[in-house]
Amino acid sequence: MRRTRSLILCAFFVALIIAGAFIKIPVPVVPFTLQFLFTMLAGLLLGGRLGAVSVCVYIILGLMGLPVFAEGGGLFYIFKPSFGYIIGFAVAAFVTGTIANRKANPSYKRLLAANFIGLAIVYLFGMVYYYLISDLYLGTPIGLWPLFLYCFILAVPGDILLCVLGAVLGKRLIPVARMMYGCAGKVPAL
């Protein structure tokens, strides 16, 4: 029964992440999606392991050709410079969930710290991947300053707000998830 519940919760977060890819908030220069919020919440509410599983299922669906990424899907997507952010989502969900759920009732401070560490991981993976794909595959190297400007400075303000929102939602939802579903790091192995 708990295993079935875990599978259903993972599927629910896969659906939220997919929806988050298409909920675009237009801002000047760099529009952002709500993927980061839902991948972060997957880690916070399901725990690190199942949060990462949810994001990995999302990635596999996209690489299989389902148009679940912000710009479609398919195996070719690994050659898009932005694919590093998607890889970062999986690692960040694991780390965020692991850090946040070390305590039975994590504080806002712990949740914020976990979310900001997850944010740093997403941007680290995203920027390194962007740099490498641009240089090695596309043959159009990008300088470090333009990389930092376009892939971090212009994009991160919205994600900082999502970290705060994720901490607020996590503080309210983690106790509910534990009580109702037995999750947030307390679920059986799949």
Short mmCIF file of all heavy atoms in Angstrom, two decimals, residues 21-72:
data_model
loop_
_atom_site.label_atom_id
_atom_site.label_comp_id
_atom_site.label_asym_id
_atom_site.label_seq_id
_atom_site.Cartn_x
_atom_site.Cartn_y
_atom_site.Cartn_z
N ALA A 21 6.85 23.32 -16.69
CA ALA A 21 7.64 23.66 -17.87
C ALA A 21 6.88 24.59 -18.81
O ALA A 21 7.48 25.33 -19.58
CB ALA A 21 8.06 22.39 -18.61
N PHE A 22 5.56 24.53 -18.74
CA PHE A 22 4.74 25.31 -19.67
C PHE A 22 4.09 26.51 -19.01
O PHE A 22 3.45 27.31 -19.69
CB PHE A 22 3.69 24.41 -20.32
CG PHE A 22 4.35 23.35 -21.17
CD1 PHE A 22 4.51 22.06 -20.70
CD2 PHE A 22 4.85 23.67 -22.42
CE1 PHE A 22 5.15 21.11 -21.47
CE2 PHE A 22 5.48 22.73 -23.20
CZ PHE A 22 5.63 21.43 -22.73
N ILE A 23 4.23 26.64 -17.71
CA ILE A 23 3.74 27.84 -17.02
C ILE A 23 4.89 28.83 -17.05
O ILE A 23 5.79 28.80 -16.22
CB ILE A 23 3.31 27.53 -15.57
CG1 ILE A 23 2.18 26.50 -15.56
CG2 ILE A 23 2.87 28.81 -14.87
CD1 ILE A 23 1.82 25.99 -14.17
N LYS A 24 4.87 29.66 -18.06
CA LYS A 24 5.96 30.61 -18.26
C LYS A 24 5.53 31.98 -17.78
O LYS A 24 4.45 32.44 -18.09
CB LYS A 24 6.35 30.67 -19.74
CG LYS A 24 6.93 29.37 -20.25
CD LYS A 24 7.29 29.45 -21.70
CE LYS A 24 7.80 28.09 -22.13
NZ LYS A 24 8.04 28.02 -23.54
N ILE A 25 6.40 32.59 -17.02
CA ILE A 25 6.15 33.93 -16.52
C ILE A 25 7.03 34.87 -17.33
O ILE A 25 8.26 34.80 -17.23
CB ILE A 25 6.44 34.02 -15.02
CG1 ILE A 25 5.51 33.06 -14.27
CG2 ILE A 25 6.26 35.46 -14.53
CD1 ILE A 25 5.83 32.88 -12.82
N PRO A 26 6.42 35.71 -18.17
CA PRO A 26 7.24 36.57 -19.02
C PRO A 26 7.91 37.69 -18.21
O PRO A 26 7.24 38.40 -17.47
CB PRO A 26 6.23 37.14 -20.02
CG PRO A 26 4.91 37.02 -19.35
CD PRO A 26 5.00 35.87 -18.38
N VAL A 27 9.19 37.75 -18.33
CA VAL A 27 9.97 38.85 -17.76
C VAL A 27 10.92 39.31 -18.86
O VAL A 27 11.20 38.57 -19.79
CB VAL A 27 10.77 38.41 -16.50
CG1 VAL A 27 9.83 38.07 -15.36
CG2 VAL A 27 11.69 37.26 -16.79
N PRO A 28 11.42 40.53 -18.76
CA PRO A 28 12.32 41.01 -19.81
C PRO A 28 13.53 40.10 -19.97
O PRO A 28 14.09 39.60 -19.00
CB PRO A 28 12.74 42.39 -19.31
CG PRO A 28 11.69 42.80 -18.34
CD PRO A 28 11.16 41.53 -17.75
N VAL A 29 13.90 39.84 -21.18
CA VAL A 29 15.06 39.07 -21.62
C VAL A 29 14.91 37.57 -21.36
O VAL A 29 14.96 36.78 -22.28
CB VAL A 29 16.38 39.59 -21.00
CG1 VAL A 29 17.56 38.81 -21.54
CG2 VAL A 29 16.56 41.08 -21.26
N VAL A 30 14.76 37.14 -20.11
CA VAL A 30 14.77 35.71 -19.79
C VAL A 30 13.47 35.31 -19.09
O VAL A 30 13.32 35.51 -17.90
CB VAL A 30 15.96 35.37 -18.86
CG1 VAL A 30 16.03 33.88 -18.60
CG2 VAL A 30 17.25 35.88 -19.44
N PRO A 31 12.51 34.72 -19.83
CA PRO A 31 11.32 34.23 -19.15
C PRO A 31 11.67 33.00 -18.32
O PRO A 31 12.58 32.25 -18.67
CB PRO A 31 10.37 33.87 -20.29
CG PRO A 31 11.26 33.61 -21.44
CD PRO A 31 12.47 34.47 -21.26
N PHE A 32 11.00 32.81 -17.22
CA PHE A 32 11.29 31.60 -16.45
C PHE A 32 10.02 30.81 -16.22
O PHE A 32 8.91 31.31 -16.33
CB PHE A 32 12.02 31.93 -15.14
CG PHE A 32 11.18 32.58 -14.08
CD1 PHE A 32 10.58 31.82 -13.09
CD2 PHE A 32 10.99 33.94 -14.06
CE1 PHE A 32 9.81 32.42 -12.11
CE2 PHE A 32 10.23 34.55 -13.09
CZ PHE A 32 9.63 33.79 -12.11
N THR A 33 10.23 29.52 -15.94
CA THR A 33 9.11 28.60 -15.74
C THR A 33 9.03 28.25 -14.26
O THR A 33 9.87 28.64 -13.46
CB THR A 33 9.31 27.32 -16.55
OG1 THR A 33 10.43 26.60 -16.01
CG2 THR A 33 9.55 27.63 -18.03
N LEU A 34 8.04 27.45 -13.92
CA LEU A 34 7.86 27.02 -12.54
C LEU A 34 8.45 25.62 -12.30
O LEU A 34 8.18 25.01 -11.27
CB LEU A 34 6.38 27.06 -12.15
CG LEU A 34 5.76 28.45 -12.14
CD1 LEU A 34 4.31 28.38 -11.71
CD2 LEU A 34 6.53 29.39 -11.22
N GLN A 35 9.25 25.12 -13.24
CA GLN A 35 9.87 23.81 -13.05
C GLN A 35 10.68 23.75 -11.77
O GLN A 35 10.62 22.76 -11.05
CB GLN A 35 10.81 23.49 -14.23
CG GLN A 35 10.12 23.09 -15.48
CD GLN A 35 11.14 22.95 -16.58
OE1 GLN A 35 11.76 23.93 -16.98
NE2 GLN A 35 11.31 21.75 -17.07
N PHE A 36 11.47 24.77 -11.52
CA PHE A 36 12.32 24.76 -10.34
C PHE A 36 11.49 24.63 -9.06
O PHE A 36 11.84 23.89 -8.16
CB PHE A 36 13.22 26.00 -10.29
CG PHE A 36 14.06 26.07 -9.05
CD1 PHE A 36 15.00 25.09 -8.77
CD2 PHE A 36 13.90 27.11 -8.14
CE1 PHE A 36 15.76 25.13 -7.61
CE2 PHE A 36 14.66 27.16 -6.99
CZ PHE A 36 15.59 26.18 -6.73
N LEU A 37 10.38 25.35 -8.99
CA LEU A 37 9.52 25.27 -7.81
C LEU A 37 9.03 23.84 -7.59
O LEU A 37 9.11 23.31 -6.48
CB LEU A 37 8.33 26.21 -7.94
CG LEU A 37 7.29 26.13 -6.81
CD1 LEU A 37 7.90 26.59 -5.48
CD2 LEU A 37 6.06 26.96 -7.16
N PHE A 38 8.57 23.19 -8.64
CA PHE A 38 8.01 21.85 -8.49
C PHE A 38 9.08 20.78 -8.25
O PHE A 38 8.85 19.82 -7.53
CB PHE A 38 7.12 21.49 -9.68
CG PHE A 38 5.89 22.36 -9.76
CD1 PHE A 38 5.55 23.01 -10.92
CD2 PHE A 38 5.08 22.55 -8.66
CE1 PHE A 38 4.42 23.81 -11.00
CE2 PHE A 38 3.95 23.35 -8.70
CZ PHE A 38 3.62 23.99 -9.89
N THR A 39 10.26 20.97 -8.82
CA THR A 39 11.34 20.01 -8.53
C THR A 39 11.82 20.18 -7.10
O THR A 39 12.12 19.20 -6.42
CB THR A 39 12.52 20.15 -9.52
OG1 THR A 39 13.04 21.47 -9.48
CG2 THR A 39 12.09 19.81 -10.94
N MET A 40 11.85 21.42 -6.63
CA MET A 40 12.23 21.70 -5.25
C MET A 40 11.20 21.10 -4.29
O MET A 40 11.56 20.44 -3.31
CB MET A 40 12.33 23.22 -5.07
CG MET A 40 12.70 23.70 -3.70
SD MET A 40 12.89 25.51 -3.62
CE MET A 40 11.80 26.16 -4.86
N LEU A 41 9.93 21.30 -4.57
CA LEU A 41 8.88 20.75 -3.71
C LEU A 41 8.87 19.22 -3.74
O LEU A 41 8.54 18.59 -2.73
CB LEU A 41 7.51 21.30 -4.13
CG LEU A 41 7.24 22.75 -3.74
CD1 LEU A 41 5.93 23.23 -4.33
CD2 LEU A 41 7.26 22.93 -2.23
N ALA A 42 9.23 18.63 -4.86
CA ALA A 42 9.33 17.17 -4.92
C ALA A 42 10.35 16.68 -3.89
O ALA A 42 10.09 15.73 -3.15
CB ALA A 42 9.72 16.71 -6.32
N GLY A 43 11.50 17.34 -3.82
CA GLY A 43 12.50 16.97 -2.83
C GLY A 43 12.03 17.22 -1.41
O GLY A 43 12.18 16.37 -0.54
N LEU A 44 11.43 18.37 -1.19
CA LEU A 44 10.99 18.73 0.16
C LEU A 44 9.89 17.78 0.67
O LEU A 44 9.91 17.37 1.82
CB LEU A 44 10.47 20.16 0.21
CG LEU A 44 11.47 21.29 -0.03
CD1 LEU A 44 10.78 22.64 -0.01
CD2 LEU A 44 12.60 21.25 0.97
N LEU A 45 8.92 17.47 -0.18
CA LEU A 45 7.75 16.71 0.27
C LEU A 45 7.91 15.20 0.16
O LEU A 45 7.33 14.46 0.95
CB LEU A 45 6.51 17.16 -0.50
CG LEU A 45 6.12 18.62 -0.31
CD1 LEU A 45 4.92 18.98 -1.17
CD2 LEU A 45 5.85 18.93 1.15
N LEU A 46 8.68 14.74 -0.81
CA LEU A 46 8.85 13.30 -0.99
C LEU A 46 10.14 12.79 -0.36
O LEU A 46 10.32 11.58 -0.24
CB LEU A 46 8.84 12.93 -2.47
CG LEU A 46 7.58 13.29 -3.26
CD1 LEU A 46 7.74 12.88 -4.70
CD2 LEU A 46 6.36 12.66 -2.64
N GLY A 47 11.03 13.69 -0.01
CA GLY A 47 12.35 13.29 0.46
C GLY A 47 13.31 13.30 -0.72
O GLY A 47 12.89 13.34 -1.89
N GLY A 48 14.59 13.26 -0.43
CA GLY A 48 15.60 13.38 -1.46
C GLY A 48 15.52 12.29 -2.52
O GLY A 48 15.56 12.57 -3.72
N ARG A 49 15.40 11.06 -2.08
CA ARG A 49 15.44 9.94 -3.02
C ARG A 49 14.23 9.95 -3.97
O ARG A 49 14.39 9.90 -5.18
CB ARG A 49 15.52 8.63 -2.26
CG ARG A 49 15.81 7.43 -3.13
CD ARG A 49 15.94 6.16 -2.31
NE ARG A 49 14.84 5.93 -1.40
CZ ARG A 49 13.63 5.49 -1.77
NH1 ARG A 49 13.38 5.26 -3.03
NH2 ARG A 49 12.68 5.31 -0.87
N LEU A 50 13.04 10.02 -3.42
CA LEU A 50 11.85 10.00 -4.28
C LEU A 50 11.67 11.30 -5.05
O LEU A 50 11.12 11.30 -6.15
CB LEU A 50 10.60 9.68 -3.47
CG LEU A 50 10.45 8.22 -3.07
CD1 LEU A 50 9.18 8.02 -2.26
CD2 LEU A 50 10.47 7.30 -4.26
N GLY A 51 12.13 12.40 -4.49
CA GLY A 51 12.10 13.65 -5.25
C GLY A 51 12.96 13.55 -6.49
O GLY A 51 12.55 13.94 -7.59
N ALA A 52 14.16 12.98 -6.33
CA ALA A 52 15.05 12.79 -7.49
C ALA A 52 14.46 11.78 -8.47
O ALA A 52 14.58 11.95 -9.69
CB ALA A 52 16.42 12.33 -7.01
N VAL A 53 13.82 10.73 -7.96
CA VAL A 53 13.17 9.75 -8.84
C VAL A 53 12.11 10.45 -9.70
O VAL A 53 12.02 10.21 -10.91
CB VAL A 53 12.55 8.59 -8.03
CG1 VAL A 53 11.61 7.76 -8.89
CG2 VAL A 53 13.64 7.70 -7.45
N SER A 54 11.32 11.31 -9.10
CA SER A 54 10.28 12.04 -9.84
C SER A 54 10.89 12.86 -10.97
O SER A 54 10.40 12.84 -12.09
CB SER A 54 9.50 12.96 -8.90
OG SER A 54 8.83 12.23 -7.92
N VAL A 55 11.97 13.56 -10.66
CA VAL A 55 12.61 14.40 -11.69
C VAL A 55 13.25 13.52 -12.76
O VAL A 55 13.18 13.84 -13.95
CB VAL A 55 13.65 15.36 -11.06
CG1 VAL A 55 14.31 16.20 -12.13
CG2 VAL A 55 12.98 16.26 -10.03
N CYS A 56 13.85 12.41 -12.37
CA CYS A 56 14.46 11.51 -13.36
C CYS A 56 13.41 10.90 -14.29
O CYS A 56 13.67 10.75 -15.49
CB CYS A 56 15.27 10.42 -12.66
SG CYS A 56 16.81 11.03 -11.94
N VAL A 57 12.24 10.56 -13.76
CA VAL A 57 11.16 10.06 -14.62
C VAL A 57 10.76 11.14 -15.62
O VAL A 57 10.56 10.85 -16.82
CB VAL A 57 9.95 9.59 -13.77
CG1 VAL A 57 8.73 9.34 -14.64
CG2 VAL A 57 10.31 8.34 -12.98
N TYR A 58 10.66 12.37 -15.16
CA TYR A 58 10.36 13.49 -16.05
C TYR A 58 11.41 13.60 -17.15
O TYR A 58 11.07 13.74 -18.34
CB TYR A 58 10.30 14.79 -15.22
CG TYR A 58 10.43 16.05 -16.01
CD1 TYR A 58 9.38 16.51 -16.80
CD2 TYR A 58 11.59 16.81 -15.96
CE1 TYR A 58 9.49 17.67 -17.53
CE2 TYR A 58 11.70 17.99 -16.67
CZ TYR A 58 10.65 18.41 -17.46
OH TYR A 58 10.76 19.57 -18.18
N ILE A 59 12.68 13.49 -16.80
CA ILE A 59 13.76 13.58 -17.78
C ILE A 59 13.67 12.43 -18.78
O ILE A 59 13.80 12.64 -19.99
CB ILE A 59 15.14 13.60 -17.08
CG1 ILE A 59 15.30 14.90 -16.28
CG2 ILE A 59 16.27 13.46 -18.09
CD1 ILE A 59 16.51 14.92 -15.36
N ILE A 60 13.44 11.23 -18.30
CA ILE A 60 13.34 10.06 -19.18
C ILE A 60 12.17 10.22 -20.16
O ILE A 60 12.32 9.95 -21.36
CB ILE A 60 13.21 8.77 -18.35
CG1 ILE A 60 14.53 8.48 -17.64
CG2 ILE A 60 12.80 7.59 -19.23
CD1 ILE A 60 14.44 7.42 -16.56
N LEU A 61 11.03 10.68 -19.66
CA LEU A 61 9.88 10.91 -20.55
C LEU A 61 10.23 11.91 -21.65
O LEU A 61 9.88 11.72 -22.82
CB LEU A 61 8.68 11.41 -19.75
CG LEU A 61 8.01 10.42 -18.82
CD1 LEU A 61 6.93 11.10 -17.98
CD2 LEU A 61 7.42 9.25 -19.59
N GLY A 62 10.92 12.99 -21.27
CA GLY A 62 11.31 13.98 -22.26
C GLY A 62 12.30 13.45 -23.27
O GLY A 62 12.18 13.70 -24.47
N LEU A 63 13.28 12.67 -22.82
CA LEU A 63 14.28 12.13 -23.73
C LEU A 63 13.69 11.03 -24.64
O LEU A 63 14.20 10.78 -25.73
CB LEU A 63 15.48 11.58 -22.96
CG LEU A 63 16.32 12.65 -22.24
CD1 LEU A 63 17.45 12.00 -21.46
CD2 LEU A 63 16.87 13.66 -23.24
N MET A 64 12.60 10.40 -24.18
CA MET A 64 11.92 9.41 -25.01
C MET A 64 11.13 10.06 -26.14
O MET A 64 10.65 9.37 -27.03
CB MET A 64 10.99 8.54 -24.16
CG MET A 64 11.73 7.57 -23.28
SD MET A 64 10.66 6.64 -22.14
CE MET A 64 9.30 6.16 -23.14
N GLY A 65 10.98 11.35 -26.10
CA GLY A 65 10.31 12.05 -27.19
C GLY A 65 9.02 12.75 -26.81
O GLY A 65 8.45 13.47 -27.64
N LEU A 66 8.53 12.55 -25.60
CA LEU A 66 7.33 13.27 -25.20
C LEU A 66 7.68 14.76 -25.03
O LEU A 66 8.71 15.09 -24.46
CB LEU A 66 6.77 12.72 -23.89
CG LEU A 66 6.26 11.28 -23.95
CD1 LEU A 66 5.86 10.81 -22.57
CD2 LEU A 66 5.09 11.17 -24.90
N PRO A 67 6.85 15.65 -25.52
CA PRO A 67 7.18 17.08 -25.47
C PRO A 67 6.93 17.70 -24.10
O PRO A 67 6.10 18.59 -23.93
CB PRO A 67 6.25 17.67 -26.54
CG PRO A 67 5.06 16.76 -26.52
CD PRO A 67 5.60 15.38 -26.22
N VAL A 68 7.67 17.22 -23.11
CA VAL A 68 7.46 17.68 -21.73
C VAL A 68 8.44 18.76 -21.30
O VAL A 68 8.24 19.39 -20.26
CB VAL A 68 7.51 16.49 -20.73
CG1 VAL A 68 6.40 15.51 -21.02
CG2 VAL A 68 8.87 15.82 -20.76
N PHE A 69 9.50 18.96 -22.07
CA PHE A 69 10.44 20.03 -21.75
C PHE A 69 9.87 21.35 -22.28
O PHE A 69 8.97 21.36 -23.11
CB PHE A 69 11.81 19.75 -22.38
CG PHE A 69 12.48 18.50 -21.88
CD1 PHE A 69 13.16 17.68 -22.76
CD2 PHE A 69 12.42 18.13 -20.55
CE1 PHE A 69 13.79 16.52 -22.31
CE2 PHE A 69 13.04 16.97 -20.09
CZ PHE A 69 13.73 16.17 -20.98
N ALA A 70 10.43 22.44 -21.83
CA ALA A 70 9.92 23.76 -22.22
C ALA A 70 9.94 23.97 -23.73
O ALA A 70 9.13 24.71 -24.27
CB ALA A 70 10.71 24.86 -21.52
N GLU A 71 10.86 23.30 -24.43
CA GLU A 71 10.97 23.45 -25.88
C GLU A 71 10.82 22.12 -26.60
O GLU A 71 11.46 21.87 -27.61
CB GLU A 71 12.32 24.09 -26.22
CG GLU A 71 12.48 25.49 -25.68
CD GLU A 71 13.86 26.06 -25.94
OE1 GLU A 71 14.70 25.38 -26.57
OE2 GLU A 71 14.10 27.18 -25.50
N GLY A 72 9.98 21.24 -26.09
CA GLY A 72 9.73 19.98 -26.77
C GLY A 72 10.28 18.79 -26.02
O GLY A 72 10.20 18.70 -24.80
#
